[in-house]
Amino acid sequence: MSTDRVTTSENNLDEALAQAVPSPVLLGDDDPIRPGSTLTARGARLLFADQVASRSTDAASRRLKARGLSYYTISSAGHEQNAILGTQLRATDPSFLHYRSGGFMMARSRKAPDVDPVLDTMLSICGSKDDPISQGRHKVWGSHPLWVPPQTSTIASHLPKAVGMAFALGRARRLEHEAELPDDAIVMCSFGDASANHATALSGVNAARYGLRRGNPMPILFVCEDNGIGISVETPQRWITESYGGLRYLRFFDAEGEVDDVWDVVEQAIHTCRSRRVPVFLRLATERLWGHAGSDIETAYRTAEQIRALEDRDPLIRNAMRLIATGAATPEQLQDTVSTVRRRVDDAGEEAAARGQLETAEAVIQPLAPYDEDAVRAAVADVPGPEARAALWGEDLPEHASAPVKRTMAAHLSAGLADEMHHRPEVIVFGEDVGRKGGVYYVTAGLQKRFGQSRVFDTQLDETTILGLAQGAGMSGLLPIPEIQYLAYVHNAVDQIRGEAASLQFFSSGQFQNPMVIRMAGLAYQKGFGGHFHNDNSIGGLRDIPGLLIATPSRGDEAVKLLRGCLATAAACGRVALFLEPIALYHARDLHEEGDGAWLSDYPAPGEAILPGEVGIHSPDGPAEILVVSYANGLRMSLQAQRILEQEHGLPVKVLDLRWLNPLPFEAIRREAEGMRAVVVADECRRTGGGIAEAVVADLAESGYSGRLSSVRAEDSYVPLGQAANLVLIQTADIVAGVQGAALRM
Ligand SMILES: Cc1ncc(C[n+]2csc(CCOP(=O)(O)OP(=O)(O)O)c2C)c(N)n1
Ligand SMILES: [Mg+2]
């Protein structure tokens, strides 16, 4: 079925060219196709060749699919006018592309003579390990030399990061950060008409407008490839113009008509964006010539007449006729182009299908979570000298802070962030209320005053935007530390981590990176500020994100060392790290008794850091037969339990602080569990899937640990207000009881 439509389209083009009457007057190569246009006859012929190349890869993908040799049939057929953008934009204008961008890529590739876009496209369609961008991990449009980061299939998810990059280009320049891209680069982001309704698209466009309203340069070109339909659902006529035209802080352009008309409007749109550094929205009229994908049975929602009418509007035929009518080309020239290109694509398809795919699981996951310990250690060891620190702190070095000498986690984190910002000029800190106020818990207090509004700033209230900004900044060479105000509020935007940030290295075979350390206040046990949304105790939805590094501290000194470990890993390996700060411990001072000050700590000297996989061990005075595994609030409670168990029950236990919740430090856990008669996991997160107990217990069981295994976990519940919270959360007494129970059965 689907290949029939392909053949029909090809025949239609062939017949149109066979019947076309040449213009009596032919243009010279450099003549404009129409007076006043910058599109020359030669330029128009090259454009047509790119469009035919794109169409032919679509045809080849469906034919190869029918033979079981290709894996992707969502085509660009009917969208080939996007080649005009590929021609006019520069290879240094980062482009975040819609999946129907074959024409764009063919044209863009002319700017990198070593790139063979036809073969690359066919390699991608065939899932080949030789696909230069994803090595067969996904069919994506992407190219490192052409500044096209690969995008995921989640529609609209790329708008926030494209906007983030447009923002970051200007910001990096203001910070005098050495830029890879020229000063007048703009960012382009394309998407479909149905996708333009998505919350993430609205978030992206809003962020661009808001950024401009706030006085930031926002050189972002949104391109809506409007084919009037999303799979089977028609977009109301003029909807895109009605919803995006006439908005303040967004210039709107509508490109429709003959190829030279579209060319001119695209030119104006790009020029406006580039010269004025403002968000521009371009509606590009397109057709979706075939079904949504090869498997889509279009006749279920389109009549035969509608399909025929669509075929009559095929932009390839329309462009060919325009070129012939204007004298930019003869029918024979275009026929030649068509047959040469089709042959080239068919050959490339056969070649691509014969190349192999990735062959081992190791090869597949190799770029997912790169970790180069030497490089991370070097990044950690790169510390500011005494003079540099004196310039920041004067006499008041945080490690010498006067009364009280020991300080809370919030105070140490604040100083730790200041040290990092001072030493790493590429670090920027942003989020809701982090600037003037210094964060809800004052962790970023004073940073804006010290480092200025360019490096420490408040964003609008939108987590999707915050994480989009972080991705754009990371791709621009900055090292962003975005803050998510509460763990419960990441879920509305979690796809920006799950689908986007954490997947970039995977789908680009490590060629693009968006390093970041997301600071996130979370977990439960806040006194006086209750309710689930400020005490969310589930990390299940984050722990399953491939490649995401998650660290959680418990005490102030360790918090700084862990933060350094996260930043060094992000900087050296391009990783996305999540730094989960237990809110209830920000200002905690005591451990066993009120006033003992035992949870205060000294600021760690520069260079002291905790790296991924390194756990904390808290041993009793004598030998122990039971290991308690915990983290964050649970660690503090486990240490309380440790004393009670030893002093009141004569039961010494060793306590292991996981510190890293993803990946879990299994090696260290197994090592410490060895020789112990029981392991008790004290997991403050929810019982089922919300925390880490299941994984720790399962790993020990599978690795042959023969002692008793048990856990203490929170109820599967939202966290209620006030004292009722303690009914569903684990308490010190529960850990004591859990250990006693284990001791009885071992
Ligand atoms: C967030 C999300 N929801 C649903 C889908 C499934 N889906 C893929 S394409 C598509 C329609 C997109 O239509 P449009 O934006 O108009 O682009 P077109 O395919 O017409 O070019 C849908 C619903 C998806 N990829 N992502
Ligand atoms: Mg559409």
Side-chain angles (χ1 to χ4, degrees), residues 538-557:
S538 176
I539 52 166
L542 298 165
R543 271 205 60 238
D544 78 328
I545 296 177
L548 181 67
L549 191 65
I550 306 180
T552 190
S554 188
R555 213 175 56 189
D557 49 351

Side-chain angles (χ1 to χ4, degrees), residues 689-707:
I692 48 81
E694 289 166 328
V696 173
V697 169
D699 181 74
L700 285 172
E702 284 184 4
S703 62
Y705 174 70
S706 57

Side-chain angles (χ1 to χ4, degrees), residues 192-194 225-230 235:
D193 50 295
E225 301 196 6
D226 186 1
N227 59 19
I229 198 164
T235 295

Side-chain angles (χ1 to χ4, degrees), residues 701-712:
E702 284 184 4
S703 62
Y705 174 70
S706 57
R708 170 146 186 96
L709 279 169
S710 60
S711 66
V712 179

